[in-house]
Amino acid sequence: MQYVKEIVGFGPRPIGSESHKRVENYILGRLKGLEIEQDAFEVSTSEGKFPVRNIIAKFTGTKDGIIVIASHYDTNWPLRNTPYIGANDGASSSALLLEIANQLRGKKRQGYSVWLLWDDAEESMKLPWDDPESLYGVRHLAQKWQDDGTLKKIKAFLLEDMVGDADLNIERDTNSAPWLEDLVYKAATNVGYQSHFFGRLMAVEDDHMPFVQRGVPSADLIDFNYGYNDVFHHTVEDTVDKLSPKSLGIVGTVTLETVRLLDLQVRP
């Protein structure tokens, strides 16, 4: 939760802004000493040209294969001139990945390699929120990894999004791989948090979709209904007081248990 507060403390962080750059540097600073890859490029949009930077922290394992855990860190462009800080939508999951990095740091991985991905330029440039001018970071990276052969090594892509809601109810996403969603639920059951998972069924269009479309087994851990009737989502009311450290702990614990179960699986 402290990381959430520090990220939102930079203010709104739409791509191209000074605060966005400061958050990039903040994430890189927290990852100092780790193996880092940066996927930087420029994107042309209807709103102009912008620098985009995906940040990947790599933890090498003993098994041949990669588990990617992802979160976007930018905030929404249409709300750039408002005090929208995206505490849940972007900051909660990006902060959680920083804590997962702490949990993995300095330990030899007896399983697949784990790559933590902070993907950029996820939010739509225009209304409506699912405008095609979005997901720039993950679309670029999915294509890059397809071209260089990395994609074939990815055993699972786990996306974290809007995971800090004090009233935590993670959706079962019909765009995700059913077997991987089942494994997430088994992990939640193993650690006693199953009541927070999969009470609702819906199709979520999120940063996992470029990987889903390329055949990578993916699961989106998202509580899409943020506030009664989703009243806080993409509004200036998306603030830290709506979040809970317990929710972050639940999702983090279930994510690490999912990784443990994936390490034990024998899959092609």
Side-chain angles (χ1 to χ4, degrees):
M1 182 60 91
Q2 184 58 35
Y3 293 155
V4 175
K5 292 174 182 177
E6 290 171 2
I7 291 172
V8 301
F10 293 104
R13 49 194 186 280
I15 58 171
S17 66
E18 275 302 311
S19 54
H20 180 278
K21 182 64 180 175
R22 287 196 290 268
V23 171
E24 280 182 19
N25 292 333
Y26 169 82
I27 292 169
L28 289 168
R30 286 287 173 191
L31 301 175
K32 195 171 181 180
L34 299 175
E35 181 186 352
I36 302 297
E37 175 187 337
Q38 297 185 54
D39 173 41
F41 60 100
E42 186 177 75
V43 65
S44 294
T45 78
S46 61
E47 299 291 321
K49 292 185 176 181
F50 297 94
V52 178
R53 188 180 302 273
N54 296 313
I55 300 168
I56 306 109
K58 299 182 177 181
F59 299 86
T60 302
T62 55
K63 291 182 73 173
D64 186 23
I66 302 160
I67 299 168
V68 178
I69 308 173
S71 160
H72 79 90
Y73 66 93
D74 60 314
T75 54
N76 169 298
W77 175 263
L79 297 175
R80 66 194 178 280
N81 295 322
T82 74
Y84 173 69
I85 55 172
N88 195 30
D89 193 1
S92 68
S93 50
S94 295
L96 181 57
L97 260 63
L98 289 175
E99 180 54 29
I100 290 174
N102 291 342
Q103 298 296 316
L104 299 177
R105 186 189 289 266
K107 300 173 185 174
K108 186 170 178 62
R109 285 234 75 238
Q110 299 295 331
Y112 294 120
S113 295
V114 172
W115 291 5
L116 303 180
L117 164 63
W118 288 263
D119 65 84
D120 195 9
E122 184 261 6
E123 293 281 13
S124 298
M125 299 300 294
K126 297 188 295 186
L127 297 174
W129 305 119
D130 59 352
D131 184 85
E133 287 200 80
S134 62
L135 306 181
Y136 286 107
V138 280
R139 284 194 279 124
H140 183 270
L141 196 59
Q143 186 61 52
K144 177 184 176 181
W145 284 349
Q146 180 174 302
D147 293 343
D148 69 14
T150 300
L151 212 65
K152 293 182 292 187
K153 301 176 183 176
I154 299 176
K155 300 300 181 180
F157 184 96
L158 302 174
L159 176 62
E160 320 270 353
D161 196 0
M162 298 173 67
V163 293
D165 189 352
D167 179 24
L168 183 69
N169 291 286
I170 301 294
E171 323 292 347
R172 184 170 178 112
D173 168 38
T174 57
N175 284 328
S176 295
W179 73 263
L180 188 51
E181 293 273 284
D182 289 345
L183 198 71
V184 170
Y185 190 74
K186 184 172 190 282
T189 303
N190 286 355
V191 295
Y193 292 138
Q194 68 273 18
S195 64
H196 294 279
F197 283 77
F198 301 165
R200 297 182 298 249
L201 189 71
M202 66 183 296
V204 185
E205 299 282 332
D206 212 349
D207 357 357
H208 63 322
M209 292 308 295
F211 291 89
V212 170
Q213 291 156 1
R214 288 168 172 80
V216 175
S218 304
D220 190 3
L221 279 68
I222 183 170
D223 179 353
F224 196 80
N225 192 25
Y226 181 31
Y228 182 71
N229 281 339
D230 199 30
V231 69
F232 302 139
H233 187 201
H234 281 159
T235 76
V236 296
E237 296 300 317
D238 182 5
T239 48
V240 174
D241 59 295
K242 314 297 192 311
L243 311 187
S244 165
K246 183 178 180 182
S247 296
L248 293 167
I250 288 169
V251 178
T253 300
V254 171
T255 298
L256 290 175
E257 176 65 5
T258 302
V259 169
R260 189 186 73 82
L261 294 177
L262 283 164
D263 285 339
L264 297 174
Q265 283 205 330
V266 180
R267 296 190 67 89

